[in-house]
């Protein structure tokens, strides 16, 4: 049986009538840029995330850049990010004029290790960007305590973690701003690029909105120079059809993760995801570990099971950051994990038979 890594078409078929009607309505009203569909989605998304303001934008990467611009990052400012993430988290610091400082991740949860945070600080440190990687919240209690003590801002990178919770509180509500991506494969995905940045801070919301829209919240008003980063009407209308399904889709991901726990129990050499106490994981990805990761991936692909590695090279070791001259020993956990991690299929439309086929394929590798 072939099992795809994700199946966006299967998801479309479950909501086809709603999506088709939404697209037709946008075309009928020509509400391609701005307009009611964008406004409605911003309001509904802010409510679902339990945050006051939502500034929609062109993609998740822009949302990080817009947030840092709104927070006033300037040359010389240092921003701390986990060593293990997608490059958007760090490249946007440089774009905003700041300096990237990497901090190692926790060995088990893959999220920023708060214990190492203070050692990374200098008088130039201005902020921290924790990433709720794979769908598991970072340790927000410890991270916010460090941020408060040193008067640092926090932008939560929630691209993989819509609706995840830390101690019963939704991610995105801890920091000064929360960045979201609606890249098609994310837990809430558009049919193209889309993103949003949310905040409870009225002033920050206004600054971010202005910057994302050529420096003015209304046409012709340019208080500052900005950029053009917009969510378009078609994507907004599509996202509004999908948003009411997010809770159900998330529960299904969690159910599949629990099932994997049973199906993959006791396999020699296989590491399963660890959810730390007090954290609710939304399983954007189901990441296993194996010492012979590449051989396991080849074995699975040979049996028709698609896998992905997120990410095969931790950020400090990428050519893009060769300027820092980092060594593997600087970030031992991120370095160890990069050669062991493997993401196996998990998506709400996955059938029991598909999941069983994945589990059987993994088991047959060890036998
Ligand atoms: C997807 C992602 C982003 C960026 O989102 P885009 O919409 O692709 O620009 C940022 N951070 C993380 C952790 C992501 O997974």
């Amino acid at each position: 049986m072939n099992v795809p890594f994700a199946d966006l078409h299967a998801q479309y078929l479950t909501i086809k009538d709603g999506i088709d009607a939404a697209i037709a309505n946008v075309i009928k009203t020509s509400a391609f840029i701005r307009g009611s569909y964008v406004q409605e989605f911003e309001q509904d998304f802010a409510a679902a995330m339990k945050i006051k303001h939502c500034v929609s934008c062109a993609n998740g990467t822009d949302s990080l850049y817009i947030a840092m611009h709104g927070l006033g990052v300037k040359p010389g400012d240092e921003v701390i990010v986990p060593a293990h993430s997608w490059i958007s988290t760090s490249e946007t610091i440089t774009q905003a004029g700041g300096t990237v400082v990497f901090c190692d991740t926790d060995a088990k949860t893959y999220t920023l290790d708060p214990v190492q945070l203070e050692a990374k600080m200098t008088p130039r440190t201005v902020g921290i960007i924790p990433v709720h990687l794979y769908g598991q919240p970072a340790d927000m209690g410890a991270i916010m305590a460090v941020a408060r003590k040193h008067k640092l801002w926090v932008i939560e990178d929630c691209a993989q973690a819509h609706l995840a919770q830390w101690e019963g509180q939704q991610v995105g509500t801890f920091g000064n701003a929360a960045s979201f991506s609606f890249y098609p494969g994310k837990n809430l995905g558009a049919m193209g690029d889309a993103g949003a940045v949310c905040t409870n801070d009225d002033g920050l919301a206004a600054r971010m909105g202005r910057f994302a829209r050529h420096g003015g919240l209304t046409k012709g008003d340019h208080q500052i120079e900005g950029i053009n980063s917009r969510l378009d009407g078609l994507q907004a209308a599509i996202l509004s059809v999908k948003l009411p399904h997010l809770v159900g889709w998330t529960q299904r991901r969690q159910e599949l993760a629990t099932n994997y726990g049973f199906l993959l129990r006791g396999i020699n050499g296989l590491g399963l995801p660890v959810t730390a106490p007090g954290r609710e994981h939304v399983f954007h990805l189901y990441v296993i570990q194996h010492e012979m990761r590449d051989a396991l991936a080849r074995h699975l692909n040979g049996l028709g099971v698609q896998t992905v590695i997120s990410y095969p090279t931790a950020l400090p070791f990428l050519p893009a950051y060769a300027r820092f001259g980092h060594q593997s020993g600087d970030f031992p956990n991120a370095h160890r994990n990069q050669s062991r991690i493997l993401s196996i299929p998990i998506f709400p439309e996955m059938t029991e038979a598909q999941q069983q086929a994945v589990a059987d394929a993994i088991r047959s590798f060890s036998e």
Side-chain angles (χ1 to χ4, degrees):
M1 179 189 280
N2 281 334
V3 185
F5 186 67
D7 192 341
L8 299 181
H9 190 68
Q11 180 176 89
Y12 164 65
L13 292 178
T14 66
I15 49 173
K16 182 175 184 308
D17 292 349
I19 296 282
D20 292 355
I23 292 172
N25 283 338
V26 175
I27 293 172
K28 206 183 303 164
T29 55
S30 302
F32 298 120
I33 300 290
R34 297 229 185 150
S36 60
Y37 294 99
V38 174
Q39 230 170 24
E40 188 187 314
F41 175 71
E42 285 182 339
Q43 280 164 11
D44 293 347
F45 187 70
M49 295 304 111
K50 301 187 161 71
I51 310 177
K52 195 168 170 193
H53 304 280
C54 166
V55 176
S56 62
C57 59
N59 54 66
T61 307
D62 274 6
S63 71
L64 289 162
Y65 173 53
I66 292 164
M68 273 183 270
H69 198 277
L71 288 162
V73 170
K74 53 185 194 311
D77 286 355
E78 293 179 1
V79 179
I80 301 176
V81 287
H84 185 160
S85 183
W86 175 240
I87 192 166
S88 300
T89 317
S90 51
E91 69 185 352
T92 47
I93 298 169
T94 313
Q95 276 169 31
T99 300
V100 179
V101 175
F102 293 113
C103 180
D104 204 4
T105 46
D106 173 68
K108 290 208 169 79
T109 63
Y110 308 107
T111 56
L112 189 69
D113 182 1
V115 175
Q116 301 192 39
L117 260 181
E118 284 186 296
K120 299 290 170 185
M121 264 170 220
T122 76
R124 293 178 300 279
T125 307
V126 295
I128 309 169
I129 310 183
V131 181
H132 308 305
L133 199 71
Y134 305 151
Q136 173 158 213
D139 187 353
M140 290 315 293
I143 292 168
M144 291 311 296
V146 171
R148 273 191 293 272
K149 181 172 159 197
H150 297 274
K151 299 192 165 48
L152 308 176
W153 53 251
V154 171
I155 300 172
E156 292 176 68
D157 185 336
C158 306
Q160 304 187 3
H162 315 73
L163 298 183
Q165 293 185 10
W166 186 89
E167 300 280 355
Q169 186 180 337
Q170 220 158 285
V171 298
T173 60
F174 294 90
N176 302 67
S179 151
F180 290 91
S181 166
F182 309 116
Y183 175 84
K186 297 289 159 78
N187 287 19
L188 178 64
M191 292 181 161
D193 272 315
V197 55
C198 295
T199 183
N200 284 318
D201 179 333
D202 299 345
L204 179 59
R207 287 197 300 281
M208 295 192 301
R210 215 178 281 136
F211 181 64
R213 290 147 193 35
H214 296 295
L217 291 172
T218 54
K219 213 166 190 165
D221 168 37
H222 306 282
Q223 302 286 329
I224 53 167
E225 286 181 320
I227 60 170
N228 176 13
S229 183
R230 292 187 288 232
L231 173 69
D232 65 73
L234 279 169
Q235 300 307 335
I238 288 164
L239 286 166
S240 286
V241 173
K242 289 188 167 199
L243 183 59
H245 297 278
L246 183 59
V247 168
W249 287 337
T250 303
Q251 284 165 353
R252 178 66 185 146
R253 285 178 183 275
Q254 292 168 329
E255 206 175 274
L256 288 162
T258 305
N259 270 347
Y260 266 139
F262 292 120
L263 294 169
L264 300 175
R265 197 163 38 184
I267 297 179
N268 222 354
L270 187 74
L272 300 184
V274 175
T275 306
R279 303 191 212 182
E280 192 182 330
H281 196 316
V282 294
F283 290 97
H284 171 58
L285 297 177
Y286 191 90
V287 179
I288 58 174
Q289 284 207 12
H290 202 287
E291 212 152 302
M292 293 161 67
R293 188 267 316 274
D294 293 334
L296 172 60
R298 275 195 301 277
H299 175 80
L300 294 178
N301 294 347
L303 291 170
V305 175
Q306 243 180 37
T307 61
V308 168
I309 300 167
S310 302
Y311 304 93
T313 306
L315 295 172
F317 314 125
L318 289 169
Y321 294 108
R323 63 181 182 274
F324 295 131
H326 284 310
Q327 306 293 310
S328 56
D330 299 341
F331 310 97
N333 292 336
H335 187 262
R336 179 173 184 274
N337 288 337
Q338 71 178 19
S339 57
R340 298 172 55 93
I341 48 172
L342 186 66
S343 307
I344 59 174
I346 190 166
F347 50 95
E349 300 73 23
M350 191 178 200
T351 64
E352 228 167 87
Q354 285 177 319
Q355 186 171 37
Q356 188 66 52
V358 175
D360 291 346
I362 293 170
R363 204 168 276 279
S364 70
F365 176 71
S366 316
E367 283 161 4

